[in-house]
Amino acid sequence: PAADSRPSQARYPQWPLLVTTSTLTGSRQVQEAFGEQIHHVYAPYDLPGAVARFLRLVRPRLANYHGNRVVAESVAAMRGG
């Protein structure tokens, strides 16, 4: 999944790339794929209030999701609902 972020990185090189994961395994995969080229943080996908606060702080311009049920919850939070 981390490699799927490369097109965004190539298309928008002026934007910093932040990749979030929720597991140590995911974090390691991101670090192996990107090294120091990106910023990585753990995201609290299972806590809607925390997701909303995270999105208000980060204010993403573009979101590229890979994964599971949390996508719908995160999209709803980005839309303010």
Side-chain angles (χ1 to χ4, degrees):
D4 293 339
S5 297
R6 290 192 193 282
S8 297
Q9 189 179 28
R11 187 168 181 180
Y12 304 104
Q14 72 278 17
W15 293 354
L17 182 63
L18 172 67
V19 178
T20 62
T21 63
S22 60
T23 66
L24 182 57
T25 300
S27 174
R28 288 179 179 153
Q29 289 174 346
V30 167
Q31 292 303 319
E32 287 175 14
F34 292 101
E36 298 296 318
Q37 298 174 352
I38 58 96
H39 303 283
H40 169 265
V41 296
Y42 289 97
Y45 299 121
D46 56 341
L47 301 169
V51 169
R53 288 187 298 277
F54 173 78
L55 291 171
R56 277 196 305 272
L57 176 68
V58 174
R59 297 176 37 154
R61 294 180 186 166
L62 176 70
N64 186 354
Y65 283 95
H66 306 274
N68 52 38
R69 65 173 178 78
V70 301
V71 172
E73 295 167 10
S74 296
V75 169
M78 280 194 284
R79 291 184 177 163

